[in-house]
Amino acid sequence: MLQYILNIFIGFFIGLIAGLFGIGGGFLIVPVLTLMGLSIHDAIGTSLACISMSSFASAYGHLKRKNVLFKVVVLKEAFSIPSALFGAYITAFLNTRQLSAIFGFALIYVAYKLIKKPEIVSTKKRVKVDYKKVPLVGIISGFSSGLLGISGGILNVPLFYSLGLPIHYAIGTSSVALLFTALAGVIGHYTLGQVHFDKAILLAPGLILGGFSGARLAHSTHPERLKSGFSLILIIIAIRMILKGLGFSVP
């Protein structure tokens, strides 16, 4: 009983972070699943099933608050999914450790730029998106996700923001986009036998409740605080990637 309550609490915390910042939460889910006894490959596949659950809940929350631009989601995912598959394929030919370290330093720069850029007025009528650049966002996000095993949301939010979306819309749109990306990833890993739904279900109640709560909290949080919080998440993930790239054992 105590373990069940702990799983709900862990799932809720991860879902809350995912819903609040429009990310998958894989950087938290994978270590938890390895502690539950899964190998790293099975943990990555199962984490995508968990991300599907948290993304569904957070996407629903953001949709209720009309913080999603569907045209951006469709256009981005059309390029992101095949790019992710290609990125995953070429990992067999590249030294991803060095790439991981380089990408980690790039994320620190992205975090700095996100904090420094003035917030865009969060009025949907005033949002002007450069749709010609959305496919490029999809390619960069998807390829990096497949190549380095990172959540697409880590790049979705700052890249959407750079296109002219206010931070609330960048997070909401990322949450919906992540749902489709994660589902595609689950199918791929499931065919390889790397998805353990029994483990995912243990975290499911907390993930769903946390995802919905995070989306609600994001809507009422000041944009500058959201940007600062997201930048902190970026830096944490960047440090993890740099350490992995340098050869340290990091889950």
PDB file of all heavy atoms in Angstrom, residues 81-110:
ATOM      1  N   ILE A  81       8.075  13.813 -36.599  1.00  0.00           N
ATOM      2  CA  ILE A  81       8.027  12.359 -36.442  1.00  0.00           C
ATOM      3  C   ILE A  81       9.020  11.651 -37.373  1.00  0.00           C
ATOM      4  O   ILE A  81       9.824  10.826 -36.911  1.00  0.00           O
ATOM      5  CB  ILE A  81       6.593  11.829 -36.636  1.00  0.00           C
ATOM      6  CG1 ILE A  81       5.712  12.310 -35.463  1.00  0.00           C
ATOM      7  CG2 ILE A  81       6.574  10.303 -36.728  1.00  0.00           C
ATOM      8  CD1 ILE A  81       4.239  11.967 -35.616  1.00  0.00           C
ATOM      9  N   PRO A  82       9.037  11.950 -38.686  1.00  0.00           N
ATOM     10  CA  PRO A  82      10.034  11.281 -39.536  1.00  0.00           C
ATOM     11  C   PRO A  82      11.471  11.675 -39.177  1.00  0.00           C
ATOM     12  O   PRO A  82      12.389  10.853 -39.287  1.00  0.00           O
ATOM     13  CB  PRO A  82       9.674  11.744 -40.955  1.00  0.00           C
ATOM     14  CG  PRO A  82       8.796  12.934 -40.784  1.00  0.00           C
ATOM     15  CD  PRO A  82       8.099  12.754 -39.489  1.00  0.00           C
ATOM     16  N   SER A  83      11.657  12.906 -38.710  1.00  0.00           N
ATOM     17  CA  SER A  83      12.998  13.345 -38.309  1.00  0.00           C
ATOM     18  C   SER A  83      13.481  12.581 -37.086  1.00  0.00           C
ATOM     19  O   SER A  83      14.664  12.244 -36.972  1.00  0.00           O
ATOM     20  CB  SER A  83      13.005  14.849 -38.009  1.00  0.00           C
ATOM     21  OG  SER A  83      12.676  15.591 -39.149  1.00  0.00           O
ATOM     22  N   ALA A  84      12.556  12.295 -36.151  1.00  0.00           N
ATOM     23  CA  ALA A  84      12.904  11.532 -34.953  1.00  0.00           C
ATOM     24  C   ALA A  84      13.307  10.105 -35.321  1.00  0.00           C
ATOM     25  O   ALA A  84      14.266   9.548 -34.766  1.00  0.00           O
ATOM     26  CB  ALA A  84      11.720  11.513 -33.987  1.00  0.00           C
ATOM     27  N   LEU A  85      12.581   9.514 -36.269  1.00  0.00           N
ATOM     28  CA  LEU A  85      12.917   8.159 -36.721  1.00  0.00           C
ATOM     29  C   LEU A  85      14.292   8.131 -37.383  1.00  0.00           C
ATOM     30  O   LEU A  85      15.085   7.209 -37.162  1.00  0.00           O
ATOM     31  CB  LEU A  85      11.845   7.662 -37.701  1.00  0.00           C
ATOM     32  CG  LEU A  85      10.446   7.449 -37.118  1.00  0.00           C
ATOM     33  CD1 LEU A  85       9.455   7.109 -38.221  1.00  0.00           C
ATOM     34  CD2 LEU A  85      10.463   6.338 -36.073  1.00  0.00           C
ATOM     35  N   PHE A  86      14.594   9.152 -38.176  1.00  0.00           N
ATOM     36  CA  PHE A  86      15.898   9.239 -38.838  1.00  0.00           C
ATOM     37  C   PHE A  86      17.007   9.444 -37.816  1.00  0.00           C
ATOM     38  O   PHE A  86      18.080   8.830 -37.895  1.00  0.00           O
ATOM     39  CB  PHE A  86      15.898  10.383 -39.849  1.00  0.00           C
ATOM     40  CG  PHE A  86      17.213  10.551 -40.568  1.00  0.00           C
ATOM     41  CD1 PHE A  86      17.681   9.557 -41.423  1.00  0.00           C
ATOM     42  CD2 PHE A  86      17.980  11.692 -40.380  1.00  0.00           C
ATOM     43  CE1 PHE A  86      18.896   9.708 -42.088  1.00  0.00           C
ATOM     44  CE2 PHE A  86      19.193  11.845 -41.028  1.00  0.00           C
ATOM     45  CZ  PHE A  86      19.651  10.849 -41.893  1.00  0.00           C
ATOM     46  N   GLY A  87      16.749  10.305 -36.832  1.00  0.00           N
ATOM     47  CA  GLY A  87      17.732  10.561 -35.779  1.00  0.00           C
ATOM     48  C   GLY A  87      18.062   9.304 -35.001  1.00  0.00           C
ATOM     49  O   GLY A  87      19.229   9.025 -34.689  1.00  0.00           O
ATOM     50  N   ALA A  88      17.021   8.512 -34.696  1.00  0.00           N
ATOM     51  CA  ALA A  88      17.227   7.261 -33.974  1.00  0.00           C
ATOM     52  C   ALA A  88      18.039   6.274 -34.814  1.00  0.00           C
ATOM     53  O   ALA A  88      18.885   5.536 -34.291  1.00  0.00           O
ATOM     54  CB  ALA A  88      15.881   6.645 -33.602  1.00  0.00           C
ATOM     55  N   TYR A  89      17.806   6.275 -36.121  1.00  0.00           N
ATOM     56  CA  TYR A  89      18.499   5.343 -37.015  1.00  0.00           C
ATOM     57  C   TYR A  89      20.002   5.620 -37.082  1.00  0.00           C
ATOM     58  O   TYR A  89      20.814   4.687 -37.027  1.00  0.00           O
ATOM     59  CB  TYR A  89      17.886   5.436 -38.417  1.00  0.00           C
ATOM     60  CG  TYR A  89      18.646   4.657 -39.463  1.00  0.00           C
ATOM     61  CD1 TYR A  89      18.582   3.265 -39.504  1.00  0.00           C
ATOM     62  CD2 TYR A  89      19.428   5.326 -40.402  1.00  0.00           C
ATOM     63  CE1 TYR A  89      19.289   2.549 -40.470  1.00  0.00           C
ATOM     64  CE2 TYR A  89      20.140   4.625 -41.362  1.00  0.00           C
ATOM     65  CZ  TYR A  89      20.075   3.227 -41.391  1.00  0.00           C
ATOM     66  OH  TYR A  89      20.787   2.540 -42.335  1.00  0.00           O
ATOM     67  N   ILE A  90      20.386   6.895 -37.169  1.00  0.00           N
ATOM     68  CA  ILE A  90      21.804   7.194 -37.373  1.00  0.00           C
ATOM     69  C   ILE A  90      22.621   7.174 -36.077  1.00  0.00           C
ATOM     70  O   ILE A  90      23.837   7.372 -36.113  1.00  0.00           O
ATOM     71  CB  ILE A  90      22.012   8.549 -38.087  1.00  0.00           C
ATOM     72  CG1 ILE A  90      21.597   9.720 -37.202  1.00  0.00           C
ATOM     73  CG2 ILE A  90      21.289   8.580 -39.414  1.00  0.00           C
ATOM     74  CD1 ILE A  90      22.048  11.059 -37.785  1.00  0.00           C
ATOM     75  N   THR A  91      21.971   6.915 -34.939  1.00  0.00           N
ATOM     76  CA  THR A  91      22.746   6.797 -33.694  1.00  0.00           C
ATOM     77  C   THR A  91      23.759   5.662 -33.784  1.00  0.00           C
ATOM     78  O   THR A  91      24.774   5.661 -33.085  1.00  0.00           O
ATOM     79  CB  THR A  91      21.824   6.534 -32.479  1.00  0.00           C
ATOM     80  OG1 THR A  91      20.998   5.391 -32.746  1.00  0.00           O
ATOM     81  CG2 THR A  91      20.962   7.740 -32.178  1.00  0.00           C
ATOM     82  N   ALA A  92      23.467   4.674 -34.651  1.00  0.00           N
ATOM     83  CA  ALA A  92      24.375   3.536 -34.803  1.00  0.00           C
ATOM     84  C   ALA A  92      25.682   3.935 -35.482  1.00  0.00           C
ATOM     85  O   ALA A  92      26.676   3.207 -35.409  1.00  0.00           O
ATOM     86  CB  ALA A  92      23.691   2.429 -35.611  1.00  0.00           C
ATOM     87  N   PHE A  93      25.723   5.111 -36.115  1.00  0.00           N
ATOM     88  CA  PHE A  93      26.899   5.504 -36.885  1.00  0.00           C
ATOM     89  C   PHE A  93      27.661   6.675 -36.275  1.00  0.00           C
ATOM     90  O   PHE A  93      28.687   7.089 -36.804  1.00  0.00           O
ATOM     91  CB  PHE A  93      26.482   5.886 -38.314  1.00  0.00           C
ATOM     92  CG  PHE A  93      25.648   4.837 -38.996  1.00  0.00           C
ATOM     93  CD1 PHE A  93      24.274   4.972 -39.085  1.00  0.00           C
ATOM     94  CD2 PHE A  93      26.233   3.696 -39.529  1.00  0.00           C
ATOM     95  CE1 PHE A  93      23.495   4.002 -39.705  1.00  0.00           C
ATOM     96  CE2 PHE A  93      25.468   2.719 -40.143  1.00  0.00           C
ATOM     97  CZ  PHE A  93      24.099   2.872 -40.234  1.00  0.00           C
ATOM     98  N   LEU A  94      27.153   7.227 -35.155  1.00  0.00           N
ATOM     99  CA  LEU A  94      27.776   8.419 -34.579  1.00  0.00           C
ATOM    100  C   LEU A  94      28.164   8.202 -33.117  1.00  0.00           C
ATOM    101  O   LEU A  94      27.593   7.349 -32.434  1.00  0.00           O
ATOM    102  CB  LEU A  94      26.805   9.606 -34.663  1.00  0.00           C
ATOM    103  CG  LEU A  94      26.405  10.084 -36.064  1.00  0.00           C
ATOM    104  CD1 LEU A  94      25.353  11.169 -35.952  1.00  0.00           C
ATOM    105  CD2 LEU A  94      27.618  10.608 -36.828  1.00  0.00           C
ATOM    106  N   ASN A  95      29.120   8.996 -32.658  1.00  0.00           N
ATOM    107  CA  ASN A  95      29.494   9.004 -31.241  1.00  0.00           C
ATOM    108  C   ASN A  95      28.562   9.981 -30.523  1.00  0.00           C
ATOM    109  O   ASN A  95      28.817  11.182 -30.483  1.00  0.00           O
ATOM    110  CB  ASN A  95      30.956   9.436 -31.081  1.00  0.00           C
ATOM    111  CG  ASN A  95      31.415   9.360 -29.633  1.00  0.00           C
ATOM    112  OD1 ASN A  95      30.610   9.340 -28.703  1.00  0.00           O
ATOM    113  ND2 ASN A  95      32.721   9.326 -29.432  1.00  0.00           N
ATOM    114  N   THR A  96      27.473   9.464 -29.975  1.00  0.00           N
ATOM    115  CA  THR A  96      26.473  10.338 -29.372  1.00  0.00           C
ATOM    116  C   THR A  96      26.929  10.933 -28.044  1.00  0.00           C
ATOM    117  O   THR A  96      26.343  11.894 -27.566  1.00  0.00           O
ATOM    118  CB  THR A  96      25.147   9.574 -29.152  1.00  0.00           C
ATOM    119  OG1 THR A  96      25.409   8.386 -28.400  1.00  0.00           O
ATOM    120  CG2 THR A  96      24.520   9.205 -30.483  1.00  0.00           C
ATOM    121  N   ARG A  97      27.974  10.361 -27.432  1.00  0.00           N
ATOM    122  CA  ARG A  97      28.485  10.927 -26.181  1.00  0.00           C
ATOM    123  C   ARG A  97      29.003  12.339 -26.400  1.00  0.00           C
ATOM    124  O   ARG A  97      28.684  13.254 -25.641  1.00  0.00           O
ATOM    125  CB  ARG A  97      29.599  10.045 -25.620  1.00  0.00           C
ATOM    126  CG  ARG A  97      29.111   8.952 -24.684  1.00  0.00           C
ATOM    127  CD  ARG A  97      30.245   8.154 -24.101  1.00  0.00           C
ATOM    128  NE  ARG A  97      31.277   9.005 -23.524  1.00  0.00           N
ATOM    129  CZ  ARG A  97      32.418   8.554 -23.007  1.00  0.00           C
ATOM    130  NH1 ARG A  97      32.668   7.262 -22.996  1.00  0.00           N
ATOM    131  NH2 ARG A  97      33.298   9.389 -22.497  1.00  0.00           N
ATOM    132  N   GLN A  98      29.810  12.520 -27.446  1.00  0.00           N
ATOM    133  CA  GLN A  98      30.340  13.851 -27.734  1.00  0.00           C
ATOM    134  C   GLN A  98      29.218  14.811 -28.125  1.00  0.00           C
ATOM    135  O   GLN A  98      29.204  15.973 -27.700  1.00  0.00           O
ATOM    136  CB  GLN A  98      31.381  13.764 -28.849  1.00  0.00           C
ATOM    137  CG  GLN A  98      32.646  13.013 -28.458  1.00  0.00           C
ATOM    138  CD  GLN A  98      33.641  12.920 -29.595  1.00  0.00           C
ATOM    139  OE1 GLN A  98      33.347  13.308 -30.718  1.00  0.00           O
ATOM    140  NE2 GLN A  98      34.823  12.381 -29.307  1.00  0.00           N
ATOM    141  N   LEU A  99      28.274  14.318 -28.928  1.00  0.00           N
ATOM    142  CA  LEU A  99      27.143  15.150 -29.328  1.00  0.00           C
ATOM    143  C   LEU A  99      26.316  15.569 -28.119  1.00  0.00           C
ATOM    144  O   LEU A  99      25.811  16.692 -28.051  1.00  0.00           O
ATOM    145  CB  LEU A  99      26.259  14.388 -30.317  1.00  0.00           C
ATOM    146  CG  LEU A  99      26.804  14.198 -31.731  1.00  0.00           C
ATOM    147  CD1 LEU A  99      25.891  13.284 -32.520  1.00  0.00           C
ATOM    148  CD2 LEU A  99      26.950  15.538 -32.434  1.00  0.00           C
ATOM    149  N   SER A 100      26.170  14.664 -27.159  1.00  0.00           N
ATOM    150  CA  SER A 100      25.399  14.950 -25.954  1.00  0.00           C
ATOM    151  C   SER A 100      26.020  16.114 -25.180  1.00  0.00           C
ATOM    152  O   SER A 100      25.307  17.013 -24.713  1.00  0.00           O
ATOM    153  CB  SER A 100      25.321  13.704 -25.077  1.00  0.00           C
ATOM    154  OG  SER A 100      24.562  13.947 -23.916  1.00  0.00           O
ATOM    155  N   ALA A 101      27.339  16.099 -25.039  1.00  0.00           N
ATOM    156  CA  ALA A 101      28.025  17.173 -24.316  1.00  0.00           C
ATOM    157  C   ALA A 101      27.869  18.510 -25.041  1.00  0.00           C
ATOM    158  O   ALA A 101      27.578  19.539 -24.419  1.00  0.00           O
ATOM    159  CB  ALA A 101      29.498  16.825 -24.147  1.00  0.00           C
ATOM    160  N   ILE A 102      28.060  18.496 -26.351  1.00  0.00           N
ATOM    161  CA  ILE A 102      27.927  19.727 -27.142  1.00  0.00           C
ATOM    162  C   ILE A 102      26.510  20.272 -27.034  1.00  0.00           C
ATOM    163  O   ILE A 102      26.290  21.479 -26.864  1.00  0.00           O
ATOM    164  CB  ILE A 102      28.288  19.453 -28.621  1.00  0.00           C
ATOM    165  CG1 ILE A 102      29.782  19.114 -28.734  1.00  0.00           C
ATOM    166  CG2 ILE A 102      27.947  20.659 -29.499  1.00  0.00           C
ATOM    167  CD1 ILE A 102      30.186  18.595 -30.097  1.00  0.00           C
ATOM    168  N   PHE A 103      25.534  19.364 -27.136  1.00  0.00           N
ATOM    169  CA  PHE A 103      24.135  19.780 -27.068  1.00  0.00           C
ATOM    170  C   PHE A 103      23.797  20.336 -25.690  1.00  0.00           C
ATOM    171  O   PHE A 103      22.980  21.251 -25.559  1.00  0.00           O
ATOM    172  CB  PHE A 103      23.233  18.589 -27.394  1.00  0.00           C
ATOM    173  CG  PHE A 103      21.834  18.981 -27.772  1.00  0.00           C
ATOM    174  CD1 PHE A 103      21.541  19.389 -29.051  1.00  0.00           C
ATOM    175  CD2 PHE A 103      20.817  18.942 -26.844  1.00  0.00           C
ATOM    176  CE1 PHE A 103      20.262  19.761 -29.401  1.00  0.00           C
ATOM    177  CE2 PHE A 103      19.535  19.298 -27.179  1.00  0.00           C
ATOM    178  CZ  PHE A 103      19.251  19.707 -28.471  1.00  0.00           C
ATOM    179  N   GLY A 104      24.430  19.779 -24.653  1.00  0.00           N
ATOM    180  CA  GLY A 104      24.215  20.276 -23.299  1.00  0.00           C
ATOM    181  C   GLY A 104      24.611  21.738 -23.169  1.00  0.00           C
ATOM    182  O   GLY A 104      23.872  22.550 -22.585  1.00  0.00           O
ATOM    183  N   PHE A 105      25.763  22.080 -23.715  1.00  0.00           N
ATOM    184  CA  PHE A 105      26.202  23.482 -23.677  1.00  0.00           C
ATOM    185  C   PHE A 105      25.272  24.369 -24.507  1.00  0.00           C
ATOM    186  O   PHE A 105      24.997  25.519 -24.143  1.00  0.00           O
ATOM    187  CB  PHE A 105      27.644  23.598 -24.204  1.00  0.00           C
ATOM    188  CG  PHE A 105      28.679  23.101 -23.236  1.00  0.00           C
ATOM    189  CD1 PHE A 105      29.384  21.935 -23.477  1.00  0.00           C
ATOM    190  CD2 PHE A 105      28.952  23.817 -22.067  1.00  0.00           C
ATOM    191  CE1 PHE A 105      30.338  21.473 -22.577  1.00  0.00           C
ATOM    192  CE2 PHE A 105      29.904  23.361 -21.159  1.00  0.00           C
ATOM    193  CZ  PHE A 105      30.589  22.192 -21.418  1.00  0.00           C
ATOM    194  N   ALA A 106      24.746  23.827 -25.608  1.00  0.00           N
ATOM    195  CA  ALA A 106      23.801  24.579 -26.432  1.00  0.00           C
ATOM    196  C   ALA A 106      22.515  24.867 -25.654  1.00  0.00           C
ATOM    197  O   ALA A 106      21.939  25.956 -25.775  1.00  0.00           O
ATOM    198  CB  ALA A 106      23.480  23.806 -27.714  1.00  0.00           C
ATOM    199  N   LEU A 107      22.075  23.905 -24.832  1.00  0.00           N
ATOM    200  CA  LEU A 107      20.865  24.109 -24.034  1.00  0.00           C
ATOM    201  C   LEU A 107      21.049  25.211 -23.001  1.00  0.00           C
ATOM    202  O   LEU A 107      20.115  25.962 -22.705  1.00  0.00           O
ATOM    203  CB  LEU A 107      20.465  22.812 -23.328  1.00  0.00           C
ATOM    204  CG  LEU A 107      19.793  21.727 -24.170  1.00  0.00           C
ATOM    205  CD1 LEU A 107      19.387  20.556 -23.290  1.00  0.00           C
ATOM    206  CD2 LEU A 107      18.581  22.270 -24.904  1.00  0.00           C
ATOM    207  N   ILE A 108      22.249  25.312 -22.444  1.00  0.00           N
ATOM    208  CA  ILE A 108      22.532  26.389 -21.482  1.00  0.00           C
ATOM    209  C   ILE A 108      22.401  27.749 -22.179  1.00  0.00           C
ATOM    210  O   ILE A 108      21.839  28.705 -21.617  1.00  0.00           O
ATOM    211  CB  ILE A 108      23.939  26.220 -20.871  1.00  0.00           C
ATOM    212  CG1 ILE A 108      23.966  24.977 -19.977  1.00  0.00           C
ATOM    213  CG2 ILE A 108      24.331  27.455 -20.065  1.00  0.00           C
ATOM    214  CD1 ILE A 108      25.325  24.644 -19.417  1.00  0.00           C
ATOM    215  N   TYR A 109      22.874  27.816 -23.416  1.00  0.00           N
ATOM    216  CA  TYR A 109      22.741  29.062 -24.191  1.00  0.00           C
ATOM    217  C   TYR A 109      21.266  29.353 -24.471  1.00  0.00           C
ATOM    218  O   TYR A 109      20.819  30.506 -24.377  1.00  0.00           O
ATOM    219  CB  TYR A 109      23.513  28.938 -25.504  1.00  0.00           C
ATOM    220  CG  TYR A 109      23.354  30.126 -26.423  1.00  0.00           C
ATOM    221  CD1 TYR A 109      23.997  31.336 -26.144  1.00  0.00           C
ATOM    222  CD2 TYR A 109      22.551  30.053 -27.556  1.00  0.00           C
ATOM    223  CE1 TYR A 109      23.841  32.432 -26.979  1.00  0.00           C
ATOM    224  CE2 TYR A 109      22.389  31.136 -28.402  1.00  0.00           C
ATOM    225  CZ  TYR A 109      23.032  32.328 -28.103  1.00  0.00           C
ATOM    226  OH  TYR A 109      22.870  33.412 -28.929  1.00  0.00           O
ATOM    227  N   VAL A 110      20.495  28.316 -24.807  1.00  0.00           N
ATOM    228  CA  VAL A 110      19.059  28.485 -25.063  1.00  0.00           C
ATOM    229  C   VAL A 110      18.359  29.015 -23.814  1.00  0.00           C
ATOM    230  O   VAL A 110      17.493  29.893 -23.890  1.00  0.00           O
ATOM    231  CB  VAL A 110      18.428  27.146 -25.510  1.00  0.00           C
ATOM    232  CG1 VAL A 110      16.902  27.246 -25.533  1.00  0.00           C
ATOM    233  CG2 VAL A 110      18.937  26.758 -26.889  1.00  0.00           C
TER     234      VAL A 110
END
